[in-house]
Amino acid sequence: MGIYINVGNEGFRSSRKREYIDKSGLIALVNDTLFSEWRFSCVTRCRRFGKSMAAKMLCAYYDHSCDSRSLFADLEIASHPSFEEHLNKYPVIYLDISDFVTRFKDDSIIEHLDEELRAEIHEAYPDIPQKDGDDLMALLIRVAAATGERFIFIIDEWDAICREFPIGKSAMDHYVDWLRRMFKGGSTMKVFAGVYLTGILPIKKYKTESAMNNFTEYSMVTPRRMAHYFGFTKDEVRMLADRHGMDSDDLEKWYDGYQIGSEPSMFNPNSVMQAIDNQWCESYWAATGAFDTVAHYIQMNYEGLKDDIIRMLAGGRCQVDPTGFQNDMSVVRNRDDVLTVLIHLGYLSYDRREKECYIPNREVAGEMVNAVKRNNWTPVVDALEQSKALLRATLEGDCEAVARGVDAAHDENTSILSYNNENSLACVLSIAYYYARNDYVIHRELASGKGFADLVLIPRKNVNVDSPAIILELKYNKDADGAIAQIHRKQYPAKVAQHTYNLLLVGINYDRQAKTHECRMEWVKSEG
């Protein structure tokens, strides 16, 4: 067993000793590419979404130095027609770039990387002569020609150099040149049966073209047919919740919300497993240096980016064009680039059909709030911190306190909070009731009765049974009593009452001339 070549199956064996969600169907997709023009795959997804586990699984399956049949016998791949054809049939080179990033901090990193791999390949094939001036690819060409073997090359954290090296270092350019030498040369097809890169960022672009356009890229923006293997599905999480006595609704609130390609509901796998292990849902999404590097771009407020972040904290969505991003953390030039970085890092989810991004769940929303605090957006931070008091005042029926709380959330220096219609008021109310997301599912423009209620807060299944659903109707330069009347006239309560027998109707009006809010409330008891 080597460090880089034929590393065996111990990594995947360790994963199988604990709870394991079967994602082995990924192997069949990779098998389908072997020995074809599609043999080069770059599969990138955000951190804690199982990148390294997938790499270890592929090593265990392909590595001809071990017998992995028992590890896969009860998994999906075992019933696939390609299972026997490729099981433990190849010499496998496994490279974790993050290991080199931690050891080498200058432009010599690629030289060291090539030298260490070359030494181990020579040790594995001592009868193949190593000539002066050989680089790794030259040696592999000679090995393949002499033995007839074709390698599987798996690179984990392929983009660690791109993410970690400071601006101005040429290491990344050297690295891209090394990758081109390995995977774009005329002899590449004679050396590799398949190549699998995994990391966070897709392959760096020069102008508009990928540095290695022979790779098929699967990413958080364009997952293609691998979307199912990017995270946990809702059915998989519900199965885990039932098995371990957890509340699946609680897991959904905290970790669901990623729309990845054709998969409408994907969970953060690492956070789900930690929650199940701890028997408690909380944020397991520790702040990273990667997010810190884009925080100052948010502060610069490219093209209203600050307002976009606030809008998404309020539960809204923002248009984004991810196609111009060069997949380089040191080249962030505009609003779309910042939002695209946040999608790849997992801080935003991307709806490919609508070309929109949004904050996926409570765990990530908490990190976004921390980012807002670090960027000193004082009025917004104050509104968020006061949201707990506002919810309490609402539930206590204190109309004056609610009106004061909404006043506090209205920051005229932030365009998204500058009123010009009822939709702007709804956005402010979503921020003002941010704390309510802990116990409520918040809907904007919920179809109810004969129209659309402006803001509806429906209690989550695991909260107090007496917690009311809250229907907020918003008016602009009219009156709060008229808002309550509209709730009844359009029969909003009839639709919302299916969630709870206890309803609280809230009418809020903004008087533009006085720049004050007026609130009226009414309790409604339905039969339950």
Side-chain angles (χ1 to χ4, degrees):
M1 183 181 299
I3 299 174
Y4 306 114
I5 185 169
N6 299 331
V7 297
N9 58 24
E10 189 55 39
F12 187 58
R13 186 179 298 277
S14 297
S15 299
R16 295 240 44 202
K17 288 179 180 177
R18 299 196 67 184
E19 189 84 55
Y20 178 73
I21 297 297
D22 186 359
K23 295 294 180 178
S24 65
L26 172 69
I27 297 172
L29 298 181
V30 178
N31 283 349
D32 191 46
T33 70
L34 299 183
F35 296 100
S36 74
E37 293 183 356
W38 301 89
R39 74 186 72 186
F40 306 100
S41 301
C42 183
V43 184
T44 54
R45 39 185 155 162
C46 51
R47 63 193 182 89
R48 299 187 172 186
F49 268 65
K51 299 184 301 295
S52 296
M53 183 176 290
K56 292 173 183 176
M57 177 182 70
L58 293 173
C59 284
Y61 174 75
Y62 289 116
D63 193 337
H64 68 181
S65 70
C66 57
D67 182 356
S68 301
R69 184 178 300 276
S70 62
L71 289 176
F72 294 98
D74 61 336
L75 300 182
E76 177 186 348
I77 186 60
S79 61
H80 194 270
S82 69
F83 178 66
E84 293 290 346
E85 180 182 359
H86 301 289
L87 176 65
N88 299 133
K89 297 290 175 61
Y90 303 94
V92 174
I93 302 173
Y94 172 75
L95 175 62
D96 186 343
I97 298 296
S98 63
D99 288 343
F100 286 86
V101 168
T102 57
R103 288 192 289 151
F104 304 106
K105 303 297 184 181
D106 57 30
D107 293 347
S108 68
I109 183 172
I110 306 305
E111 180 181 345
H112 288 291
L113 182 154
D114 193 271
E115 182 179 350
E116 290 191 20
L117 267 68
R118 192 168 67 250
E120 189 162 314
I121 295 295
H122 182 62
E123 184 177 340
Y125 297 92
D127 295 333
I128 308 300
Q130 190 172 187
K131 298 182 180 180
D132 290 341
D134 270 358
D135 60 4
L136 176 62
M137 188 58 177
L139 182 57
L140 289 175
I141 291 171
R142 198 171 294 115
V143 170
T147 64
E149 293 181 329
R150 297 294 180 267
F151 292 86
I152 300 288
F153 202 149
I154 298 170
I155 302 182
D156 195 8
E157 298 289 353
W158 89 268
D159 58 330
I161 291 176
C162 312
R163 290 184 280 113
E164 299 296 335
F165 270 70
I167 297 173
K169 290 282 187 179
S170 59
M172 188 163 66
D173 289 336
H174 293 166
Y175 180 43
V176 171
D177 287 342
W178 183 83
L179 292 171
R180 283 172 167 161
R181 163 69 171 146
M182 295 296 300
F183 306 128
K184 281 202 74 173
S187 299
T188 295
M189 297 290 196
K190 300 177 182 178
V191 174
F192 301 112
V195 178
Y196 183 94
L197 275 57
T198 188
I200 295 174
L201 294 177
I203 295 170
K204 178 177 169 59
K205 295 178 182 177
Y206 287 92
K207 296 184 179 179
T208 60
E209 185 175 320
S210 169
M212 294 182 293
N213 55 14
N214 58 325
F215 274 78
T216 301
E217 298 202 56
Y218 308 83
S219 71
M220 298 295 286
V221 171
T222 310
R224 305 176 194 264
R225 56 183 184 155
M226 290 192 182
H228 179 77
Y229 305 102
F230 269 47
F232 286 173
T233 65
K234 187 168 291 188
D235 287 343
E236 290 166 343
V237 170
R238 286 176 176 171
M239 177 270 293
L240 287 169
D242 290 344
R243 183 181 298 171
H244 296 278
M246 293 284 289
D247 188 328
S248 61
D249 291 321
D250 209 20
L251 291 168
E252 181 176 338
K253 171 179 68 176
W254 276 92
Y255 313 119
D256 188 14
Y258 290 95
Q259 181 171 331
I260 303 178
S262 59
E263 293 288 344
S265 181
M266 297 291 278
F267 292 66
N268 180 326
N270 181 273
S271 295
V272 168
M273 296 309 296
Q274 291 209 52
I276 286 175
D277 189 52
N278 292 335
Q279 289 290 289
W280 184 257
C281 290
E282 61 182 33
S283 178
Y284 299 102
W285 188 277
T288 66
F291 184 65
D292 290 339
T293 63
V294 301
H296 72 281
Y297 293 111
I298 296 176
Q299 179 63 33
M300 291 173 68
N301 198 24
Y302 280 127
E303 302 161 5
L305 176 65
K306 177 179 176 181
D307 299 336
D308 289 335
I309 298 296
I310 296 171
R311 183 180 293 108
M312 288 187 286
L313 281 172
R317 293 182 170 213
C318 295
Q319 287 284 317
V320 59
D321 179 4
T323 59
F325 180 50
Q326 294 187 19
N327 302 331
D328 186 339
M329 292 288 292
S330 66
V331 184
V332 179
R333 304 157 299 178
N334 53 44
R335 166 193 174 277
D336 284 329
D337 282 356
V338 176
L339 294 176
T340 304
V341 167
L342 294 176
I343 292 168
H344 287 302
L345 293 175
Y347 288 92
L348 297 176
S349 182
Y350 179 62
D351 183 335
R352 183 174 175 83
R353 177 172 296 178
E354 301 296 331
K355 300 190 184 304
E356 294 176 335
C357 59
Y358 58 93
I359 296 172
N361 53 47
R362 178 178 174 182
E363 181 179 43
V364 177
E367 285 303 305
M368 279 296 192
V369 170
N370 290 337
V372 167
K373 291 178 179 179
R374 288 197 297 271
N375 280 294
N376 298 317
W377 297 354
T378 304
V380 180
V381 172
D382 290 345
L384 292 172
E385 292 182 345
Q386 292 165 4
S387 64
K388 184 175 182 179
L390 179 63
L391 177 62
R392 184 170 60 250
T394 304
L395 295 175
E396 291 174 353
D398 190 337
C399 292
E400 291 185 2
V402 170
R404 289 195 302 270
V406 178
D407 278 337
H410 178 203
D411 171 22
E412 295 207 33
N413 295 317
T414 305
S415 62
I416 193 63
L417 302 184
S418 297
Y419 296 171
N420 53 30
N421 54 37
E422 290 167 12
N423 185 59
S424 298
L425 178 57
C427 187
V428 171
L429 263 293
S430 296
I431 285 289
Y433 280 95
Y434 178 82
Y435 180 81
R437 295 176 186 276
N438 293 336
D439 295 324
Y440 286 86
V441 177
I442 300 179
H443 298 275
R444 291 270 301 274
E445 297 290 332
L446 180 69
S448 304
K450 296 182 178 180
F452 293 86
D454 288 324
L455 206 67
V456 177
L457 284 65
I458 297 177
R460 296 185 183 275
K461 294 180 181 178
N462 58 342
V463 302
N464 191 316
V465 68
D466 293 324
S467 296
I470 303 172
I471 303 175
L472 293 102
E473 184 65 22
L474 315 175
K475 292 299 179 184
Y476 181 79
N477 276 343
K478 294 181 182 177
D479 62 78
D481 289 326
I484 294 290
Q486 180 170 317
I487 293 176
H488 287 291
R489 186 170 65 253
K490 294 195 174 182
Q491 301 177 13
Y492 296 159
K495 178 69 173 179
V496 179
Q498 63 182 289
H499 300 281
T500 175
Y501 66 89
N502 200 5
L503 303 179
L504 175 58
L505 315 184
V506 181
I508 295 177
N509 177 64
Y510 176 67
D511 187 318
R512 184 175 183 181
Q513 183 174 359
K515 294 186 178 180
T516 57
H517 299 82
E518 175 193 20
C519 176
R520 294 289 183 270
M521 297 192 206
E522 179 181 320
W523 288 91
V524 175
K525 295 285 186 179
S526 63
E527 296 183 3

